[in-house]
Amino acid sequence: MQIDLIQVNDRNIAEVKDTDILINNLDDGLQIMVDCAAQEAYKAILYQENISADFFELKTKLAGEILQKYTQYDFDVAIVGDFSIYNSKSLNDFIYESNKGRKINFVATRDEAITRLSKG
């Protein structure tokens, strides 16, 4: 796993990248948060291709468990990807509701992720 730091408004945003799946379960999601916090980054950009497909299948509850912990520990995240590939009304509703707030964002581009995470 590679974590690059982007500094915006005197705060670090961690860009988490890899060629493999990084999040398969709750522990993986928490480990990313710990690794970012160790670099004084409390906001992160994650990529859809590094997250298990189970995350996007809401009935597995993986997304809810991970994102609840992120919110609980004041860790903001933007997930970059093409979410139109999932034919799920519940996921689309979840993404819509998440994007209304500032803690959890689902975006199409890295630039949009940086913009969202730079606010607040």
Side-chain angles (χ1 to χ4, degrees), residues 67 70-71 75-79 98-99 101-106:
L67 298 177
Y70 286 177
T71 301
F75 186 75
D76 299 356
V77 65
I79 300 172
S98 295
N99 284 348
R102 292 201 308 231
K103 305 299 290 171
I104 309 297
N105 296 278
F106 292 84

Side-chain angles (χ1 to χ4, degrees), residues 4-51:
D4 294 329
L5 295 180
I6 302 163
Q7 194 167 46
V8 179
N9 302 329
D10 295 325
R11 293 183 187 217
N12 290 327
I13 298 172
E15 182 177 16
V16 181
K17 300 186 275 188
D18 205 303
T19 56
D20 294 320
I21 299 291
L22 296 173
I23 298 177
N24 287 297
N25 54 51
L26 177 59
D27 288 340
D28 293 343
L30 293 174
Q31 189 60 54
I32 286 175
M33 182 174 60
V34 168
D35 292 345
C36 292
Q39 297 190 41
E40 297 185 8
Y42 304 100
K43 299 177 182 226
I45 299 170
L46 305 176
Y47 289 91
Q48 176 183 7
E49 61 263 21
N50 299 130
I51 302 171

